[in-house]
Amino acid sequence: MDRRDQTTHFGYRDVPLGEKQTLVNEVFHSVASRYDLMNDLMSIGLHRVWKDIMITQLNPPKSEAPFALLDVAGGTGDIAFRAAKAGGPGFRATVCDINADMLEVGRNRARAQHLDDRVCFVAGNAEALSFPDRSFDAYTIAFGIRNVPRIDVALREAYRVLRPGSRFLCLEFSTVDVPGLDRLYDLFSFRVIPPLGRAVTGDAESYQYLVESIRKFPRPNAFAEMITAAGFARVKWEILSGGIVALHSGWRL
Ligand code: SAM
């Protein structure tokens, strides 16, 4: 099928595959300057805990040995900064994101935290990374893959740029199946988050997209199958906070 004829989801809307990225870019252009504040408010600070769990799994070496992390859809740099603080003098991170506004916020934060010598920011698309084959020791993507139009292509790119023996880690919103919590979570998602988005960023629609896109993302087992299909081995996942989030991992062997 011609790419122009294929459709995908943008939240609950079906859109041509080629248009999703433009719509996603508009979302993050609109919210970039208040993105970090909104994360704290709408997750009641929990995103910090989930990100710390990801860094614990990543376990960057504390030594002087070189270790190169690629954080894709890294936005304002949260994962890279946490990893840099946990890693040793040999640690370097590259934050790759498609959105210039998010990267600009990230660069300013890196300077403010004196991490700009160890974390660099590069514009790029997860579906077509500009890095050579086998050039990184770990690949992370947090709350990013859901936004990428062709997830299977991005996963194959992740595999390509990783050195054999290195790790893929993906943190993403998932499916809440706990009775009681699911209704509460839906209520909070649809009744609280978009109005909160309007109050803080002036943009409710972007946060409506956020809550809808979460519902359209594959369940943990289906996503694990996609990671395996991209070539990764020993794929597993951990459910966090009753299924609000899942942390998937795999190895390029
Ligand atoms: N990882 C950061 C975090 O956890 O705070 C930012 C996550 S933010 C929800 C999603 C990010 O994905 C945005 O910065 C957006 O620009 C980026 N993004 C969306 N599509 C992308 C693509 N195709 N390639 C790279 N980045 C993309």
Side-chain angles (χ1 to χ4, degrees):
M1 202 196 291
D2 191 302
R3 193 171 174 216
R4 281 166 303 185
D5 299 331
Q6 292 176 33
T7 59
T8 187
H9 303 293
F10 176 74
Y12 287 168
R13 275 164 58 197
D14 280 335
V15 296
L17 187 60
E19 273 178 31
K20 173 164 174 169
Q21 191 70 64
T22 308
L23 294 165
V24 166
N25 294 351
E26 282 167 11
V27 166
F28 291 101
H29 167 72
S30 162
V31 305
S33 63
R34 316 226 76 192
Y35 173 81
D36 294 307
L37 172 64
M38 258 313 273
N39 267 355
D40 272 332
L41 293 177
M42 69 185 175
S43 74
I44 325 165
L46 273 175
H47 76 108
R48 293 168 182 259
V49 177
W50 300 325
K51 286 170 177 167
D52 284 344
I53 292 171
M54 186 186 217
I55 300 305
T56 304
Q57 283 241 1
L58 176 68
N59 193 19
K62 313 265 181 288
S63 66
E64 291 192 358
F67 183 89
L69 167 69
L70 177 63
D71 182 42
V72 173
T76 60
D78 260 9
I79 296 298
F81 299 154
R82 281 176 160 72
K85 286 172 191 161
F91 177 90
R92 295 287 178 279
T94 302
V95 176
C96 172
D97 196 285
I98 203 163
N99 194 298
D101 302 294
M102 295 290 279
L103 288 170
E104 196 45 38
V105 176
R107 282 192 192 98
N108 291 335
R109 292 178 81 204
R111 273 192 291 273
Q113 296 182 43
H114 306 291
L115 288 171
D116 45 336
D117 55 338
R118 293 200 290 151
V119 179
C120 71
F121 290 80
V122 175
N125 188 337
E127 293 183 2
L129 297 172
S130 58
F131 310 106
D133 294 358
R134 304 172 179 219
S135 47
F136 290 96
D137 300 298
Y139 176 113
T140 49
I141 183 162
F143 307 113
I145 199 117
R146 191 185 74 251
N147 300 292
V148 175
R150 294 178 300 166
I151 294 174
D152 54 337
V153 176
L155 291 173
R156 286 202 297 273
E157 276 292 85
Y159 186 86
R160 180 183 70 73
V161 299
L162 279 174
R163 293 195 179 102
S166 54
R167 192 100 186 263
F168 166 88
L169 284 164
C170 176
L171 192 63
E172 190 49 270
F173 291 109
S174 194
T175 315
V176 175
D177 279 330
V178 181
L181 180 64
D182 51 1
R183 286 195 54 212
L184 206 66
Y185 179 60
D186 274 349
L187 211 68
F188 182 75
S189 300
F190 288 96
R191 297 277 171 84
V192 177
I193 292 182
L196 188 64
R198 178 182 292 117
V200 176
T201 68
D203 177 2
E205 269 177 37
S206 289
Y207 287 91
Q208 183 70 27
Y209 158 72
L210 167 83
V211 296
E212 290 179 4
S213 64
I214 291 170
R215 269 75 186 172
K216 288 290 184 184
F217 191 69
R219 286 179 163 265
N221 56 335
F223 184 48
E225 281 171 21
M226 294 173 79
I227 299 170
T228 306
F232 289 102
R234 290 163 40 197
V235 175
K236 55 183 187 175
W237 69 89
E238 191 181 335
I239 298 294
L240 306 176
S241 304
I244 295 175
V245 163
L247 176 60
H248 281 76
S249 66
W251 292 86
R252 174 169 179 168
L253 296 181

